[in-house]
Amino acid sequence: MKKIPNWYRNTGCPVQILFMAGFLIGMILPDIAWKMEWHQKTISAMYLLRTFAAGSEAGVEYFLQVLGMRESIYLLGAACGISFFGVPFAVAGSIYLGIKIGLLLTMSVLQFGFQGGLVGVGLLFPQYLLYIPCIFYLYRQSYEQSMKIWKNRGMLSGGVSRYFLRVFLCGILYLGGMITEAYCNPFILEWLVRKVL
């Protein structure tokens, strides 16, 4: 009987490793660009100003804007889990999230110094305390459910219903992140900007 290699048996998605790889890329790219005199019109200033301007209008309109942005990605990830696209979505999404956070924090520090780094952290707080665990969980679930399809186990009705139940419960916590982004983050960011810049 042919022995199956261990790497094939392991179906877990290395979300944290991919995220850290993306985070490292997100930290290195702006530093290289900064050394090439690209910092005259850096993206960080535009990103920070755009985000702060959007965050300053905290309320129902801003919540609906956040809901539209965040929910669409979450639902796409959930849908990918019951197809062949769950594996590439989880891998690409983990790397992208790391790059996004790494870029934001690094460009904030490069453009505005230590105070900019604090504002960069303020852009992520407190919503990413809920987003990151939920996104990691979604990617892992999407990856594992998609791998069952890849390995020709098919879509068992019990497995799919359990998958959607887990994703739905995680989505409730993710919704909490959207609420904190819309109603808490603008005030934290405004306070930070007044204090450090």
Side-chain angles (χ1 to χ4, degrees), residues 50-73 131 178-179 181-183 186:
R50 182 175 58 84
T51 307
F52 181 66
S56 62
E57 46 187 69
V60 177
E61 288 180 25
Y62 183 53
F63 175 69
L64 292 175
Q65 183 182 355
V66 169
L67 187 67
M69 285 187 317
R70 307 287 184 204
E71 182 185 29
S72 58
I73 299 296
Y131 283 158
M178 289 186 266
I179 291 169
E181 181 175 3
Y183 293 104

Side-chain angles (χ1 to χ4, degrees), residues 49-123:
L49 291 173
R50 182 175 58 84
T51 307
F52 181 66
S56 62
E57 46 187 69
V60 177
E61 288 180 25
Y62 183 53
F63 175 69
L64 292 175
Q65 183 182 355
V66 169
L67 187 67
M69 285 187 317
R70 307 287 184 204
E71 182 185 29
S72 58
I73 299 296
Y74 191 85
L75 292 176
L76 177 65
C80 283
I82 55 168
S83 71
F84 292 107
F85 300 108
V87 172
F89 181 85
V91 171
S94 302
I95 295 170
Y96 171 75
L97 181 64
I99 290 174
K100 179 179 158 185
I101 294 174
L103 278 172
L104 173 67
L105 295 176
T106 304
M107 288 192 297
S108 300
V109 171
L110 289 174
Q111 182 68 24
F112 302 111
F114 178 72
Q115 291 88 356
L118 290 176
V119 173
V121 171
L123 285 168

Side-chain angles (χ1 to χ4, degrees), residues 10 12 16 37-38 53 87 93 112 115 124 132 135 140 165 169:
N10 186 6
Q16 290 91 344
E37 300 298 323
W38 180 55
V87 172
F112 302 111
Q115 291 88 356
L124 303 173
I132 290 177
I135 292 170
R140 195 171 290 115
L165 178 63
L169 293 175

